[in-house]
Amino acid sequence: MPRHRAQQLKEGTRHRQGPERPLGIDERDQEALFAAFMDNSPGASFVKNEAGRIIYVNHTFETLFALPSKEVLGTVHPGWITEADWGPIRENDRKALAAGHPLTFEESTTMPNGETKVWLSLKFPFRLPSGERYLGTTVLDITALKRQEAALRESNQELERLRRLQRREFEVMVQNIKDYAIYMVDPQGLVMSWNAGAQAITGYTEAEVLGKSFMRFHVPEDVAEGMPQRLIERALEEGSVEEDGWRIRKNGERFWAHTALTAVHDQKRHLGFVKVVRDLTEVRQLEAIERELAALGKLDHMKDDFLSVISHELRTPLNFIMGFASILDDEAAGPLTSQQHEYLGKILYGAERLLFHVNNLVEMSRLSAGLLQIQPAPTEYGALIAHVLETFRPLADDKRIRLESDVQVRGEILIDGQRLTQVIGNLVDNAVKFTPDDGRVTIKAYPEDGRLITEVADTGIGIAPDDIPKVFERFVQLDMTTTRTVGGTGLGLAICKSIVEAHGGSIDVHSDGPGKGSTFRFSLPLEREGEEA
């Protein structure tokens, strides 16, 4: 069916069934958004399979560890990580997989240059519809943060001693701490001392702040509401007060800070206050990233719900169209002219093509919900392939494409015939769509080492080497210009992969490059009723 006809059918269905649920962005944009998000994420992300092999790394991982993905992918224990570091990491992986839900760990590694790094590691196990389990991990470098925490603990331990020190002793002790702003103000709130960390965090030099009010570090709205003065009053009453909030640097930039304000006394009088400021901007950004990840998960769930609803809603009107068109074509309602038969044939063919895509949507909904079930039964494989070829012959004839087969499997084998018809149908459909006029599509099936090998080869547009790893992803169309010409949902190959793997098989693709055709090959256990061949 022409594209504008399919669009009209979709529009007509929507008017009868009610408006579609708005999603905000479409599914393809969501995939692009997620891919861009992962590669621009400040965290290094990677995925391991259940055997512990690394099968995916994002761009940040390559940048952070200065390692190209080809040196990491497929490894279980990256060689540059020492066994002493690797043991705890491996144990944390095991804990996350056993828990079945995200867990956060602190892990450390000695880098190739000898530097020790501390990582905040978020490990989240997940399972594909096929049942395979994977472990995703996102790590952030918190080495500096851990140093800051250690410095803060050290500072807090010294606060009791600071109460007994005079101003000069206090300045000498804290002057060289650079990760925390530690300074003293007099009872009126004027800055009396200023350490290197205070200058690093705020941008002010000691000469610019000594004798000035500490309120300049608070944002204007807090100053207007009297918040800094209330903190001083609370510190006098309670001895010490902690607070999180926005502070402002010399250049006007705001940063999120955790502050501790402690009143300092000697035996006779109130000397002023010690203030310790910790910059938590990076921590706050990490929390924002975690919220965004949760939102992306919700969007993915909404997408699956939408696919399930719209695909089921489309099948009902399609069945009406095909049913009544068949009745007319059989002349049950009266004789037809040859031209009318021709038009009805086009209607039925177009409806069958649309039903093919709708069934893919239904299948993907089932896969997302983990409902894929394989029901093997004795099946004549040669007859199954012949049926698929006959189904797609009109599409091939329109483009003068030769459909050829070479089936060397005799007798019945144990497979889920309905599911394998889907697999071969999707592969042939793609081959015909992406093969130019006067081309050729060939199906071969033969036994090899106790397995059933099936190949679907074409003389079509081919696949670029960089695109081959993407072909079995959901909603992926590699050549978007061609896709707009030939149509498609980008689900067929993802469904093929799930069905083949559910049979205990594997699927891959080979192409010598653009313009040189493609060969999709899948392998299944070759079993016959009562025995394995």
Side-chain angles (χ1 to χ4, degrees), residues 75-210:
T75 63
V76 173
H77 179 179
W80 61 269
I81 299 181
T82 66
E83 185 59 36
D85 292 338
W86 185 246
I89 294 174
R90 186 170 53 238
E91 176 64 15
N92 291 341
D93 288 351
R94 186 196 66 76
K95 290 178 181 179
L97 283 170
H101 57 77
L103 294 177
T104 302
F105 303 91
E106 284 187 10
E107 298 171 341
S108 62
T109 58
T110 301
M111 303 299 285
N113 62 5
E115 180 185 4
T116 298
K117 289 281 190 178
V118 182
W119 312 98
L120 180 64
S121 178
L122 172 63
K123 300 177 185 288
F124 47 98
F126 61 95
R127 189 186 297 272
L128 293 181
S130 61
E132 293 183 352
R133 293 201 307 167
Y134 295 88
L135 182 66
T137 302
T138 296
V139 299
L140 288 174
D141 184 356
I142 59 170
T143 307
L145 181 61
K146 297 302 293 183
R147 291 171 181 165
Q148 291 174 354
E149 290 176 345
L152 179 60
R153 287 192 297 269
E154 179 183 338
S155 299
N156 287 336
Q157 292 170 359
E158 296 295 330
L159 283 178
E160 287 300 319
R161 294 179 58 195
L162 291 176
R163 297 178 192 277
R164 299 188 296 269
L165 294 176
Q166 298 295 325
R167 173 182 172 182
R168 181 57 186 166
E169 293 172 316
F170 172 78
E171 290 176 350
V172 171
M173 181 176 294
V174 301
Q175 185 59 40
N176 293 323
I177 296 178
K178 297 181 179 180
D179 293 332
Y180 286 79
I182 303 176
Y183 59 97
M184 189 168 184
V185 297
D186 67 14
Q188 288 72 46
L190 302 180
V191 177
M192 300 168 59
S193 67
W194 194 246
N195 80 329
Q199 179 171 334
I201 291 175
T202 69
Y204 287 101
T205 65
E206 183 179 55
E208 291 173 316
V209 297
L210 288 182

Side-chain angles (χ1 to χ4, degrees), residues 57-75:
V57 298
N58 71 347
H59 179 70
T60 307
F61 182 100
E62 296 179 291
T63 302
L64 188 62
F65 293 100
L67 288 172
S69 61
K70 64 182 180 181
E71 294 186 16
V72 179
L73 294 178
T75 63

Side-chain angles (χ1 to χ4, degrees), residues 436-454:
D437 293 359
D438 301 309
R440 183 177 67 256
V441 174
T442 304
I443 302 181
K444 293 183 180 180
Y446 54 91
E448 181 179 274
D449 298 330
R451 299 185 73 79
L452 170 61
I453 308 300
T454 305

Side-chain angles (χ1 to χ4, degrees), residues 277-519:
V277 180
R278 175 185 172 194
D279 187 346
L280 291 181
T281 307
E282 291 186 2
V283 175
R284 189 175 176 87
Q285 290 171 343
L286 176 60
E287 293 172 348
I289 290 172
E290 292 174 345
R291 288 194 296 270
E292 288 187 30
L293 286 173
L296 284 173
K298 183 177 180 181
L299 284 174
D300 191 59
H301 181 69
M302 292 171 65
K303 177 193 66 182
D304 290 339
D305 287 347
F306 171 77
L307 287 178
S308 178
V309 172
I310 195 63
S311 56
H312 283 87
E313 290 297 323
L314 283 174
R315 293 181 83 177
T316 299
L318 274 175
N319 287 331
F320 275 116
I321 292 170
M322 296 176 67
F324 282 105
S326 296
I327 291 172
L328 291 174
D329 195 42
D330 292 339
E331 298 188 345
L336 302 176
T337 66
S338 60
Q339 188 177 49
Q340 289 170 333
H341 277 296
E342 179 184 353
Y343 290 164
L344 281 171
K346 292 182 181 296
I347 291 173
L348 284 168
Y349 175 69
E352 287 171 355
R353 294 289 301 149
L354 183 56
L355 184 60
F356 176 79
H357 292 305
V358 170
N359 284 338
N360 275 346
L361 289 174
V362 173
E363 198 64 46
M364 187 51 67
S365 298
R366 290 173 180 166
L367 293 175
S368 298
L371 300 178
L372 176 63
Q373 294 182 344
I374 299 301
Q375 298 178 335
T379 303
E380 175 61 54
Y381 201 54
L384 183 152
I385 291 177
H387 171 72
V388 172
L389 290 180
E390 285 307 309
T391 300
F392 287 93
R393 197 167 297 282
L395 180 63
D397 290 345
D398 283 346
K399 300 175 68 177
R400 301 183 302 279
I401 292 174
R402 299 193 306 280
L403 294 181
E404 301 174 353
S405 65
D406 179 13
V407 180
Q408 302 175 20
V409 182
R410 301 292 178 258
E412 294 182 333
I413 59 175
L414 286 175
I415 56 173
D416 188 326
Q418 180 180 355
R419 299 294 188 189
L420 265 296
T421 297
Q422 264 185 293
V423 172
I424 299 173
N426 274 312
L427 295 179
V428 173
D429 180 56
N430 272 358
V432 172
K433 285 193 304 184
F434 293 102
T435 297
D437 293 359
D438 301 309
R440 183 177 67 256
V441 174
T442 304
I443 302 181
K444 293 183 180 180
Y446 54 91
E448 181 179 274
D449 298 330
R451 299 185 73 79
L452 170 61
I453 308 300
T454 305
E455 297 177 355
V456 178
D458 63 61
T459 58
I461 63 175
I463 304 172
D466 291 344
D467 288 333
I468 284 180
K470 310 172 189 175
V471 297
F472 294 105
E473 297 177 9
R474 290 194 301 171
F475 301 106
V476 169
Q477 292 279 11
L478 301 181
D479 187 333
M480 304 311 297
T481 300
T482 303
T483 299
R484 286 193 292 270
T485 302
V486 302
T489 61
L491 294 174
L493 293 179
I495 292 171
C496 290
K497 184 175 187 292
S498 296
I499 293 175
V500 168
E501 291 178 348
H503 274 81
S506 61
I507 185 170
D508 56 31
V509 59
H510 171 77
S511 175
D512 290 329
K516 297 183 179 180
S518 305
T519 299

